[in-house]
């Protein structure tokens, strides 16, 4: 029998192989390794990029990915009327991406966002599970460390992808329009988008907002530590004095840090990743230069929509309705997380959507599956 390799397959089959790749990095590696596959890719570039871009995401969140794809086409300087039209057309989102071949100007931004979201999911996992382990030590819980730190399940990853997609969509609704009522208008547009979601969906976005704020506090504190350790004429201090009416590290300067963080959040995940991956003086330049404007539109919109969530959560558990990883089976990602159900059953107070609070959101109660939560010891608490 003749032996077949990927190189000897027909172009049609090679294209089918490439369309099932689920990361841009894997596609690039394959194309670099095979000149023949690169030639096949060139003749089907738009179609294959479209498939790979959407393959990055859980199949149950494609509607949110489509919404984000459209939002990414809104320029930062877009008039508020365009944002208004975008929200009005959300019900017209087309989920059948397999029938589409999008131009590079549309699909490449989605590829980049998908890669950025994957980066943030890994960072979120490290950050939140570390806090969950610390909760276990503080409360003297019996924890299974190996299971607690295991790879994300498909459902956990899907929940996080959905939340990051929706957060990024909120950010894209923040325009740079000027005027006295600009902040109010930004808030109204973000709130209108959030009103298309359920209350627990809004809480997922709030969890992402809290995590990002926690990371930014770390950035701000590291900058302050460096400024204090250096002499009063340090470059970082000079940057702060130039950009702000008060010393950026003084008591008066710090009063505005929270609103500066909100503005930085509104610039989107790509910008936030640049902040977190940079260091030293470069990081200070990026942060302080973007701390000339204040806003609270994202948190205000989340808070207002969180107020609508005063309803009872009721879930009938069925021992046979869990998969091998302890995730609830039914409608996939449409099921409430066990962390949320546990918090509701135990009457744990939660200010849905409101400004970052210490507690449940710190350790990601909206995202983790039952197997991981059981390993954390939290579900055993009465």
């Amino acid at each position: 029998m003749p032996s077949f390799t990927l190189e000897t397959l027909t172009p049609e089959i090679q294209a089918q192989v490439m369309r099932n790749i689920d990361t841009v990095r894997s596609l690039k590696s394959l194309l670099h390794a095979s000149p023949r596959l690169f030639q096949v890719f060139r003749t089907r570039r738009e179609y294959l990029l479209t498939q790979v871009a959407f393959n990055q995401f859980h199949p149950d969140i494609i509607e949110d990915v489509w919404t984000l794809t459209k939002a990414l086409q809104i320029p930062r300087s877009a008039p508020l009327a365009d944002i208004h039209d975008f929200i009005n057309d959300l019900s017209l989102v087309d989920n059948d991406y397999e029938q589409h071949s999008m131009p590079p100007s549309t699909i490449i931004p989605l590829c980049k966002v998908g890669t950025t979201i994957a980066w943030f999911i890994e960072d979120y996992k490290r950050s939140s599970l570390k806090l969950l382990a610390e909760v276990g030590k503080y409360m003297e819980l019996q924890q299974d460390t190996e299971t607690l730190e295991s790879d994300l399940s498909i459902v956990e990853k899907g929940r996080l992808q959905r939340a990051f997609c929706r957060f990024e969509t909120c950010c894209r609704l923040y325009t740079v329009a000027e005027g006295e009522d600009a902040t109010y208008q930004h808030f109204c547009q973000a709130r209108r988008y959030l009103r298309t979601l359920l209350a627990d969906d809004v809480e997922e976005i709030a969890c992402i907002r809290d995590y990002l704020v926690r990371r930014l506090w770390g950035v701000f504190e590291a900058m302050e530590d460096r400024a204090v350790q250096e002499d009063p004429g340090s470059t970082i201090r000079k940057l702060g004095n130039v950009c702000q009416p008060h010393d950026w590290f003084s008591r008066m300067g710090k009063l505005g840090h929270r609103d500066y963080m909100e503005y930085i959040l509104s610039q989107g995940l790509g910008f936030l990743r640049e902040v977190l991956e940079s260091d030293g003086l470069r990081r200070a330049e990026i942060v302080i230069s973007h701390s000339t404007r204040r806003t609270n539109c994202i948190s205000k919109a989340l808070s207002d929509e969180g107020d609508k969530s005063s309803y009872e959560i009721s879930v009938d558990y069925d021992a046979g309705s869990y998969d091998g990883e302890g995730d609830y089976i039914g409608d996939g990602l449409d099921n409430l997380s066990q962390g949320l159900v546990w918090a509701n059953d135990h009457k744990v107070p939660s200010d849905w959507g409101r400004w970052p609070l210490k507690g449940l959101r710190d350790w990601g109660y909206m995202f983790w599956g039952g197997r991981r939560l059981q390993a954390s010891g939290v579900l055993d608490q009465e």
Side-chain angles (χ1 to χ4, degrees):
M1 277 184 73
S3 60
F4 292 97
T5 66
L6 188 57
E7 291 275 342
T8 61
L9 296 174
T10 65
E12 291 74 20
I13 295 178
Q14 289 172 335
Q16 287 299 310
V17 170
M18 285 188 279
R19 76 173 295 278
N20 285 290
I21 294 174
D22 59 2
T23 68
V24 176
R25 182 177 181 180
S26 297
L27 177 63
K28 291 173 69 174
S29 298
L30 185 62
L31 296 180
H32 285 154
S34 172
R36 175 173 170 78
L37 287 175
F38 179 71
Q39 294 303 318
V40 174
F41 171 78
R42 286 184 61 186
T43 64
R44 302 165 172 82
R45 182 186 180 204
E46 294 182 358
Y47 172 74
L48 291 174
L49 276 179
T50 301
Q51 304 310 306
V52 173
F54 280 91
N55 288 348
Q56 297 175 104
F57 301 95
H58 192 288
D60 288 353
I61 69 166
I62 293 303
E63 182 174 343
D64 291 292
V65 179
W66 264 113
T67 300
L68 176 57
T69 304
K70 292 179 177 293
L72 291 172
Q73 303 308 302
I74 303 174
R76 283 289 182 181
S77 58
L80 291 170
D82 289 358
I83 309 293
H84 180 82
D85 292 341
F86 164 78
I87 297 173
N88 286 342
D89 293 341
L90 284 180
S91 60
L92 304 178
V93 167
D94 183 357
N95 295 327
D96 193 10
Y97 72 94
E98 294 188 354
Q99 303 302 317
H100 290 265
S101 292
M102 297 184 182
S105 60
T106 298
I107 206 61
I108 289 178
L110 182 62
C111 289
K112 291 180 178 179
V113 169
T115 301
T116 298
I117 287 176
W119 184 91
F120 271 106
I121 286 176
E122 287 302 312
D123 188 73
Y124 184 92
K125 177 189 173 185
R126 287 191 300 269
S127 173
S128 298
L129 291 183
K130 179 180 178 181
L131 291 173
L132 184 53
E134 291 175 357
V135 168
K137 292 178 181 177
Y138 176 77
M139 298 181 65
E140 298 182 348
L141 304 179
Q142 294 294 321
Q143 294 188 326
D144 178 354
T145 303
E146 182 178 355
T147 302
L148 187 62
E149 298 176 355
S150 61
D151 292 340
L152 296 180
S153 71
I154 294 174
V155 171
E156 290 173 329
K157 185 176 180 180
R159 286 172 179 159
L160 284 164
Q161 285 181 332
R162 177 176 61 191
F164 275 110
C165 279
R166 289 170 172 172
F167 177 85
E168 181 71 2
T169 299
C170 277
C171 293
R172 298 302 303 186
L173 301 184
Y174 184 93
T175 72
V176 294
E178 300 293 341
E180 293 182 0
D181 65 340
T183 298
Y184 176 73
Q185 292 293 341
H186 302 324
F187 151 68
C188 288
Q189 302 303 342
R191 185 176 62 179
R192 287 185 63 227
Y193 165 66
L194 293 173
R195 282 180 175 171
T196 67
L197 307 176
L198 298 175
D200 48 298
D201 296 331
V202 174
E203 178 67 1
E204 283 187 351
I205 300 173
C207 285
I208 299 302
R209 185 273 319 273
D210 283 26
Y211 146 72
L212 293 171
V213 167
R214 189 169 67 243
R215 295 288 273 117
L216 284 178
W217 274 124
V219 169
F220 279 41
E221 289 172 358
M223 288 169 52
E224 182 177 11
D225 289 344
R226 178 166 176 172
V228 169
Q229 291 167 6
E230 296 178 359
D231 61 87
S234 68
T235 304
I236 291 182
R237 280 191 176 275
K238 289 178 180 177
L239 281 171
N241 291 336
V242 168
C243 295
Q244 304 299 331
H246 304 285
D247 182 343
W248 205 75
F249 300 105
S250 68
R251 180 176 177 276
M252 290 298 297
K254 286 176 158 182
L255 288 176
H257 282 193
R258 193 170 78 174
D259 287 345
Y260 298 149
M261 288 181 189
E262 280 267 337
Y263 180 71
I264 292 173
L265 291 181
S266 73
Q267 300 307 293
L269 295 173
F271 178 76
L272 285 164
R273 181 179 177 181
E274 182 182 358
V275 170
L276 296 177
E277 288 190 317
S278 61
D279 198 5
L281 184 58
R282 174 57 182 159
R283 172 185 280 180
E285 290 173 342
I286 296 172
V287 170
I288 295 177
S289 65
H290 283 79
S291 297
T292 57
R293 298 188 61 177
R294 303 186 185 193
T295 182
N296 68 345
C297 66
I298 294 178
S299 285
K300 181 170 174 52
L302 286 169
S303 297
D304 279 26
E305 289 312 291
D307 289 341
K308 75 181 183 183
S309 61
S310 56
Y311 58 80
E312 291 296 321
I313 299 171
S314 177
V315 175
D316 295 325
Y317 287 105
D318 179 354
S321 296
Y322 291 87
D323 65 16
E325 296 181 322
D327 290 326
Y328 191 72
I329 295 176
D331 296 327
L333 296 185
D334 291 338
N335 291 303
L336 297 172
S337 71
Q338 288 195 53
L340 172 59
V341 175
W342 173 84
N344 179 79
D345 289 347
H346 290 76
K347 309 300 181 185
V348 178
S350 175
D351 243 352
W352 290 52
R354 293 200 176 277
W355 182 257
L357 300 171
K358 286 295 179 185
L360 297 175
R361 291 189 204 142
D362 281 349
W363 49 265
Y365 81 115
M366 292 294 295
F367 303 114
W368 307 135
R371 180 169 172 262
R372 194 180 308 278
L373 288 175
Q374 198 67 53
S376 74
V378 169
L379 299 184
D380 295 330
Q381 298 304 297
E382 296 299 330

